[in-house]
Amino acid sequence: MSLLEARVRVRRSPQSLEVDLDADPGDVIAVIGPNGAGKSTLLRALAGLEPMHQGTVRYDGRAWDGPGAARPLTPQERGIGMVFQQHLLFPHLTALGNVAFGPRSRGARRRESEERARRWLTRLGVEDLADRRPRELSGGQAQRVAIARALATDPALLLLDEPLAALDVGVAMALRLELARHLADFGGIGVLVTHDALDTLTVANRVVVLDQGRVAQVGTPDEVAQRPQTEHVARLMGLNVLRGQGSGTAVALDSGGTLVTTTPFEGRVNACFSPAAVTLTLAEPTGSARNRWPGTVTSVVPHGAAVRVHLAGPAPLIADVTPGAAAELGLAPGRSVWAAVKATEVGVYGIAAPPAQAPLRSRYV
Amino acid sequence: MSRNRLGRPPAYLLLPAGLAVALLLVPLASLVARAPFGSLLERLAAPEVLDALWLSLWTATAAMLASLVLGLPLAWLLARVEFPGRSLVRTLVTVPLVLPPVVAGVALLTAFGRTGVVGAPLRELGVTIPFTSTAVVIAHTFVALPFFVISVEGALRATSQDYDEVAAVLGARRGAIFRRVTVPLAAPGIAAGLVLGWARSLGEFGATITFAGNYPGVTQTMPLAVYTLLQEDLEAAVALSLVMLLVSVVVLALLRERWFGQAAR
């Protein structure tokens, strides 16, 4: 039996949310998926802020919601910590007052609450900002205070809703590493909604991919990163994933066109390759690459030191090229090009049946 | 100059706009012009004037406190708690806003009068309300409370409910959320509602004279005193009016930041 056993069922439009989630102490679960997949709703249902029409949430053998609970426990009764994308610090309280709010609400004396708050501000490295109001804090500082506020109540469950999404890249990077450390020390269960592949890889030990209110994939961060089952995750991880019907070493792509691999496979298949493995030319290539498709450039954006090019065509894909090559080929939206990928660069794996109805079991997913 | 970038404003709009300003300002200006400045202090120091002034101030303040104690919980319920009949309650609460004040006075008389639903049992206990200072406070509260409730409900709705949820997650009970989060965050709106209600009480005439009468020192508030003085001594009425104009200007200055400050920002 897991510490947290949640069968979350929320009626909402356009599609209801049906997600099963089990977790053990020390688990940090990243929840990823496109906008509208139900990520935030999942967190709100676990917190008791969103009513469930059926389903259960059990924590440590105690029913929070569903059969066994006379009524759904209120958020106050659940003992949770929550961190939001917008820090949502109380604007009329100082940083210290914000962090002390939880302990104080849970019955601690004023002095005790403030001492506790000060300790947490120190752990997050913002003790010298204790007397500032939220509007006098930078985004990163405010989010540190918000994390301290959530942890200061010793929550059973820590729910983080895109906590780093509103921060500058550099600030987010520093805080991400610290967050990973605090979550490791925390020892409870963390659930992290994110849009960021790095969050998933550095902070979480398990990943749940949501799509249209259902679980589309579960696994370790590595598994999900290397074998994404949804287009969204593939894009998130910066991979090309094309679906099709395998027959020997040939794959008839769902998008039209054919793809050749070196690994024979029969049946429904994902073919995946890195954007760096794609070469672009203006004329149809005649080299050794087995896979070549015509395509139209839909967008060209800087991506680190490279340029990331999105193509539409029989094989919609992303390609990373050098800025020099992009200039030489005159890459701009609307430009017609040929894309080529060596068969040896393509990995294939079967398309998993959606595990939506099967509860995740501990870490062995 | 960016305001004329789209061309000159046409005369058929400028003219009525100018007339509107004139209509509002000319009477006020002539009031100030007619004021007997030489004998102003002397007139205002007359006992019946001081009585009216004092009565107006304390009854308006009492009505303001009654609005706060009764109206804030009601505004919170309307803004934050879903219950059956909520929109009906909201509609009923706003009725006195559009009710002619004299009708409000008659209604209060029928309720609190000697044979009224509230008045009859009170009379058994030896308490009579009509034509007392208490009646003035009740009349003021009756007309000011809806102003307060509607304006505070708006302020509460404008304050994000996210903070209430954050406080709940942190373990605060509903009452603690109200005291420690909701009210502090809506404090400027609540203060504005209080000032607005107080000003409304201060100018109340119809309901007061109908329900409480016009007894100097007991129920004769400033507007009633102005009306009474007008029959015999125009200058005294003008002097008293000037005081109330001054109060209105002060109220406006207090609310200015909140209303016009936001619009201009």
Side-chain angles (χ1 to χ4, degrees), chain B residues 98-117:
Chain B
V98 292
L99 202 66
V102 64
V103 177
V106 173
L108 285 167
L109 263 184
T110 57
F112 291 93
R114 301 207 289 170
T115 56
V117 271

Side-chain angles (χ1 to χ4, degrees), chain B residues 21-216:
Chain B
V21 173
L23 178 66
L24 295 174
L25 284 189
V26 167
L28 295 184
S30 59
L31 178 69
V32 175
R34 285 288 295 270
F37 285 105
S39 58
L40 196 61
L41 281 181
E42 185 189 322
R43 284 178 187 283
L44 292 181
E48 66 268 27
V49 172
L50 283 181
D51 279 352
L53 192 61
W54 170 241
L55 182 71
S56 266
L57 290 180
W58 84 254
T59 51
T61 306
M64 179 180 84
L65 292 177
S67 295
L68 180 67
V69 171
L70 305 175
L72 185 56
L74 176 59
W76 177 78
L77 271 178
L78 291 175
R80 284 291 197 270
V81 183
E82 277 185 40
F83 59 91
R86 176 163 71 162
S87 50
L88 180 69
V89 171
R90 186 184 294 120
T91 309
L92 291 178
V93 164
T94 48
V95 167
L97 279 181
V98 292
L99 202 66
V102 64
V103 177
V106 173
L108 285 167
L109 263 184
T110 57
F112 291 93
R114 301 207 289 170
T115 56
V117 271
V118 187
L122 280 180
R123 198 161 161 249
E124 297 286 310
L125 299 171
V127 181
T128 356
I129 290 191
F131 311 111
T132 64
S133 301
T134 311
V136 177
V137 175
I138 292 177
H140 285 182
T141 308
F142 187 82
V143 295
L145 189 58
F147 270 91
F148 180 77
V149 171
I150 294 306
S151 105
V152 172
E153 194 208 340
L156 290 176
R157 282 184 183 281
T159 317
S160 168
Q161 215 162 323
D162 292 348
Y163 293 111
D164 290 22
E165 291 189 351
V166 173
V169 167
L170 287 169
R173 310 268 147 196
R174 204 91 195 244
I177 298 173
F178 172 78
R179 290 192 316 275
R180 298 183 55 203
V181 177
T182 316
V183 168
L185 287 181
I190 295 170
L194 287 175
V195 174
L196 205 63
W198 189 79
R200 181 73 186 79
S201 297
L202 206 66
E204 215 304 311
F205 181 84
T208 310
I209 203 164
T210 314
F211 179 46
N214 187 13
Y215 303 114

